[in-house]
Structures are given as structure tokens and as C-alpha cells.
Amino acid sequence: MDLKVFGDDPTIQGLAVWILHLVAATFVTIIIGFKKTTRVKLLLLWFIYDLLIHVILEGSFLYMSLLGSVATSTSHPLQPVWLEYSRADARWAHSDPTIISLEILTVIICSFLCFMIVILLLRDSPHRHFVQIILCVMELYGNWMTFCPEWVTGSINLDTSKPLYLWLYLIFMNSIWLFIPFLLLLESCVEIALSFEQNVFLVS
């Protein structure tokens, strides 16, 4: 796919890719979750979107980085998206080992966990909360390990001089995978705690 169909502005191209993932996730959610409640549909939408981002978008970064780097992978259709993001965080252009290590876990394990949760949601299985806790902890930890090494070394790879880089690329795009996993982690912990309380009440 040629991203130039969305124009020459790399920011617009990147946002278009995000929106396409969301549209695809919405389409799949409508197909497989049409009999589910609104709450379950929203959960399906998030985890399918999460899965697509991990597999397609982050998977493309991992592919380029393991074969070379984003900066040198000029033929990959998603290279402009990552090259633009690397203007805010240079590590994503030059195969930073910490980022690659995190993305290996994200693309392989988090994607699989997202898929498992979608299946468990469709089956109305309470076991999804155990898988959901693992996934949310991994995503929160991934966020921490993405930025903590930068903070302790003086953020030498981050460019916060432009509002676009700071507020859209670094804060907004990353905070999505901070707040939503935190809320889902809280939900699962509450559900499991309530389940234990009910079992204790029944036994007593």
C-alpha cells in the first residue's frame, strides 16, 4: 500500500494508518460481536485494535529493525510512519536494542494474549480476567521500559521541542497504552476479588 494516497504529509499518513486499524477493528467487532452487549463490544473493539496494532504496525517495525533499521528500510510501505515517529524518539529509527527487545515480546506474546482474550470474550468466559491481567501488566511495563531508560539518561533521544512531537507522538499515542491497560487491569482485579468474596460467602 502506498501511503501517498493520503497525501505527502507524514503526520497525516501516520494518522491515516491508525484510523485504518481502528476501522478494521470496528468492522471485525461488528461481524463477530453483533450479539454481544455494548460493554463486550467495546472490549472486543479494544482488544482487536490492540492486536492489529501489535501485529501490523509494531510488527512492521520489528521486521525492519531485525533486518536492518527503519532508517534503511526505504522499500517497506510503513517505513514513513515509523520514520516520522522517530523524529520525536530517535531510537525507533536506528534499531535500539531495548526497543527491539520490548517489541519482540509485544509482537509475539501480547498479540497472542489479545487473541486469547477475544476468544474468551466471545465465549463469555471469566477466565479472560487472568489473561487480561498478564496482558495489561506487560503493556504497562512496556511503556515504563520504553521511557524510563531515556529519563535516567537525560532523554537524549527525545525531541520535545515541537508541540506535535511532544503532545501527539510522545504523550497521546503512548498514553493510550497506559490508561486503557490500567483501567482494564483494575477491572480484572475487582472482578477476581468479588468472585473470591462470593465464594467465601457461599462456603461460610
Side-chain angles (χ1 to χ4, degrees), residues 56-75:
I56 299 175
L57 194 56
E58 292 177 280
S60 68
F61 164 79
L62 188 60
Y63 174 82
M64 288 183 278
S65 297
L66 291 177
L67 294 181
S69 70
V70 167
T72 59
S73 300
T74 55
S75 62

Side-chain angles (χ1 to χ4, degrees), residues 48-186:
I48 293 170
Y49 179 68
D50 200 16
L51 172 61
L52 293 177
I53 290 293
H54 290 331
V55 172
I56 299 175
L57 194 56
E58 292 177 280
S60 68
F61 164 79
L62 188 60
Y63 174 82
M64 288 183 278
S65 297
L66 291 177
L67 294 181
S69 70
V70 167
T72 59
S73 300
T74 55
S75 62
H76 196 285
L78 292 178
Q79 191 244 17
V81 176
W82 286 110
L83 201 60
E84 174 64 14
Y85 182 78
S86 71
R87 296 180 187 277
D89 188 342
R91 295 173 298 168
W92 295 82
H94 303 293
S95 302
D96 179 85
T98 299
I99 299 296
I100 292 176
S101 299
L102 289 170
E103 287 302 324
I104 290 173
L105 293 175
T106 300
V107 172
I108 297 174
I109 299 179
C110 289
S111 298
F112 177 69
L113 294 177
C114 286
F115 179 76
M116 284 185 62
I117 293 172
V118 169
I119 298 300
L120 294 171
L121 278 167
L122 292 173
R123 295 178 178 177
D124 297 318
S125 173
H127 294 101
R128 69 137 170 134
H129 289 293
F130 295 102
V131 184
Q132 189 166 294
I133 286 175
I134 298 171
L135 173 64
C136 291
V137 169
M138 286 188 66
E139 291 185 329
L140 290 170
Y141 181 75
N143 242 319
W144 174 256
M145 287 306 298
T146 296
F147 290 103
C148 185
E150 273 301 290
W151 297 334
V152 299
T153 56
S155 300
I156 56 176
N157 290 295
L158 303 183
D159 183 356
T160 59
S161 62
K162 295 183 179 180
L164 177 68
Y165 297 166
L166 175 62
W167 294 104
L168 180 60
Y169 294 172
L170 295 175
I171 294 180
F172 175 73
M173 289 185 175
N174 288 286
S175 63
I176 293 174
W177 273 267
L178 179 65
F179 289 110
I180 295 181
F182 177 78
L183 292 174
L184 291 171
L185 177 62
L186 187 62

Side-chain angles (χ1 to χ4, degrees), residues 14-79:
L15 291 175
V17 170
W18 274 55
I19 292 172
L20 285 175
H21 281 77
L22 183 58
V23 170
T26 302
F27 181 72
V28 174
T29 300
I30 291 172
I31 293 176
I32 68 175
F34 67 97
K35 292 184 179 180
K36 298 298 181 180
T37 64
T38 300
R39 178 173 175 273
V40 173
K41 286 177 182 176
L42 289 173
L43 288 169
L44 283 170
L45 176 61
W46 166 251
F47 286 112
I48 293 170
Y49 179 68
D50 200 16
L51 172 61
L52 293 177
I53 290 293
H54 290 331
V55 172
I56 299 175
L57 194 56
E58 292 177 280
S60 68
F61 164 79
L62 188 60
Y63 174 82
M64 288 183 278
S65 297
L66 291 177
L67 294 181
S69 70
V70 167
T72 59
S73 300
T74 55
S75 62
H76 196 285
L78 292 178
Q79 191 244 17

